[in-house]
Amino acid sequence: MELLDNPVRAYAWGSRTVIAELLGQEVPSPHPQAELWFGAHPADPSRLVHEDGSHTSLLDALRADPERLLGTDRSGHWDATLPFLLKVLAADEPLSLQAHPSIEQARTGFAHEDAAGIPRDAADRNYRDANHKPELICALTEFHALVGFRTPEATVRLLRELEVPELAGHAELLAAQPDQDGLRALFTTWITLPQSMLDTLVPALQDGCIRLAGTGGEFHAEARTVLELSERYPGDAGVLAALLLNRVTLAPGEALYLPAGNLHAYLSGAGIELMANSDNVLRGGLTPKHVDVPELLRVLDFAAEPPPVLTGEPDGGWIRYDTPAKEFLLRRLADGDGGAVVAVPDGGPRILLCTAGSACVRAPGTELKITRGGSLWLAANETALSVQPLVEGTQLFLASDGLG
């Protein structure tokens, strides 16, 4: 097991406090810090910190000795690559509306864009690899998000309560077809409106949201969110699309699983994000970046289901967040009292992250201490490991693949 040195990604929507505090750096940070990456992503891999203080890129280490670090079975299954990417995500401002493709859609789209000669780093490229990108976000703080399509019946109530004349016809169309096809039709209508109509409709929606946000009724939180989005992205079709989505607030320790086709936007908060190692994103608004409406419509799932909130299952001292994804599995150890020794599950490569307190990590013949913000690479051949929280309130996250 070796300590990791991990890259910070600076995006405009990031926090100037969360990641800086986690790493013990100056607060506020000079620039917004949006994500802290742990893994072997080619764009910004973590570095192994050796006993002599030297560093080796985790990506280079995996390429040099995949069978030892990943395990013979995993190396073959994952084509000698680390299948997951772990992140600390810290959002002070909303991220774009987005969805991710299924594995079949990704393979088809990637091949099509390669055949068309679109450079893989082009701004209008949708598929930068042939992989899907399911993801899980586990809240570190109160975390707010828009996730998946709300039931048509509830959306009709919301549109009627807004009392915006320009939206009345849209509400009645959805009321006449309260199903996936009705949601698809309304979303398609809004996302393809000409800018001249958006410049009229979004301000009218703002007026309705101001009225509704002050009522304290069923949809006052949704109205406030749409109002905030409209102020940040005036005239953006994504503001209208946000009207169709579930608004979710996660408490610390709760998680959301986002499968292929789920339209979502993280609004604010800090969390641990674990995903398949892919860059494939189809955007739907609330961004100046490329929005490919036909391709977005091809991958979106318009099923109106309850948001997939997970609380986790007990697993030998850990809390385990099960998902259908085979590329990743997240476990959390919380409220360590400084006494209990907990086994670290074996099976493939793992990354251990400490977000609060400190812990002693033991392997046969050796041990390492990690403190808040610290992380460890645990190779597949390192087994019979254990952790012991050293202070009350210690919190650890363990990322692995989901093969079992």
Side-chain angles (χ1 to χ4, degrees):
M1 56 185 176
E2 292 182 278
L3 291 167
L4 288 172
D5 179 39
N6 306 293
V8 175
R9 306 286 285 188
Y11 306 127
W13 48 264
S15 167
R16 292 177 182 266
T17 60
V18 172
I19 292 176
E21 287 178 349
L22 180 68
L23 297 178
Q25 299 174 348
E26 179 184 355
V27 177
S29 59
H31 306 287
Q33 297 177 323
E35 297 177 344
L36 179 61
W37 286 15
F38 307 81
H41 193 288
D44 221 348
S46 299
R47 299 189 301 166
L48 298 169
V49 181
H50 306 303
E51 290 184 3
D52 63 2
S54 63
H55 294 71
T56 300
S57 160
L58 180 57
L59 182 64
D60 291 342
L62 290 174
R63 287 171 173 169
D65 195 357
E67 291 197 358
R68 180 178 69 85
L69 297 179
L70 300 175
T72 302
D73 55 341
R74 260 70 173 193
S75 179
H77 189 91
W78 300 121
D79 196 25
T81 62
L82 187 67
F84 61 82
L85 178 64
L86 179 68
K87 300 179 181 181
V88 174
L89 182 145
D92 270 4
E93 298 179 7
L95 283 66
S96 63
L97 272 178
Q98 57 188 259
H100 308 295
S102 68
I103 188 69
E104 294 81 9
Q105 291 164 340
R107 288 170 177 167
T108 300
F110 181 75
H112 175 77
E113 290 184 335
D114 262 6
I118 302 173
R120 294 183 185 178
D121 59 354
D124 60 348
R125 175 103 187 196
N126 294 317
Y127 297 96
R128 302 184 187 277
D129 52 68
N131 199 13
H132 63 167
K133 193 185 178 186
E135 54 190 44
L136 178 81
I137 182 82
C138 181
L140 287 172
T141 66
E142 187 173 270
F143 194 90
H144 302 274
L146 299 173
V147 183
F149 288 94
R150 190 189 303 109
T151 63
E153 295 81 4
T155 294
V156 169
R157 292 200 308 274
L158 168 59
L159 296 177
R160 288 172 175 169
E161 289 187 22
L162 284 167
E163 298 180 352
V164 176
E166 293 87 345
L167 291 177
H170 299 282
E172 298 317 308
L173 285 173
L174 184 58
Q177 192 178 17
D179 55 21
Q180 292 186 39
D181 291 336
L183 285 170
R184 175 183 287 275
L186 182 54
F187 178 85
T188 303
T189 297
W190 283 351
I191 205 74
T192 57
L193 284 175
Q195 192 61 51
S196 59
M197 293 187 67
L198 289 171
D199 290 341
T200 298
L201 188 52
V202 173
L205 173 60
Q206 285 181 306
D207 292 338
C209 286
I210 290 172
R211 289 191 300 270
L212 187 56
T215 65
E218 179 184 5
F219 297 111
H220 72 282
E222 286 80 356
R224 286 201 306 270
T225 295
V226 172
L227 186 60
E228 292 166 1
L229 294 175
S230 69
E231 292 171 347
R232 292 186 183 276
Y233 302 97
D236 193 310
V239 175
L240 293 172
L243 283 171
L244 303 176
L245 303 182
N246 295 293
R247 191 190 186 287
V248 176
T249 299
L250 298 178
E254 292 183 331
L256 277 171
Y257 172 65
L258 302 171
N262 184 295
L263 186 64
H264 61 278
Y266 298 149
L267 300 173
S268 64
I272 299 297
E273 191 175 32
L274 186 57
M275 63 186 67
N277 206 349
S278 170
D279 288 323
N280 289 329
V281 177
L282 282 301
R283 294 180 177 86
L286 309 180
T287 178
K289 294 182 179 180
H290 175 61
V291 177
D292 185 335
V293 172
E295 190 64 16
L296 176 68
L297 291 172
R298 190 175 77 87
V299 306
L300 280 184
D301 181 358
F302 288 90
E305 299 177 351
V309 176
L310 306 176
T311 56
E313 299 292 333
D315 180 22
W318 300 84
I319 298 296
R320 188 186 70 246
Y321 298 90
D322 293 324
T323 77
K326 296 301 182 184
E327 288 82 358
F328 60 79
L329 176 63
L330 184 68
R331 291 179 171 92
R332 179 174 66 93
L333 190 156
D335 300 321
D337 61 7
V341 176
V342 180
V344 176
D346 294 335
R350 293 140 295 164
I351 292 176
L352 182 68
L353 167 65
C354 179
T355 60
S358 60
C360 182
V361 186
R362 296 187 178 92
T366 187
E367 64 180 46
L368 280 173
K369 178 183 177 181
I370 56 171
T371 58
R372 187 182 187 211
S375 57
L376 288 175
W377 166 258
L378 309 176
N381 67 337
E382 295 175 309
T383 59
L385 306 181
S386 65
V387 296
Q388 182 178 18
L390 299 177
V391 296
E392 185 177 355
T394 293
Q395 180 167 246
L396 305 171
F397 287 89
L398 181 70
S400 65
D401 69 22
L403 294 182

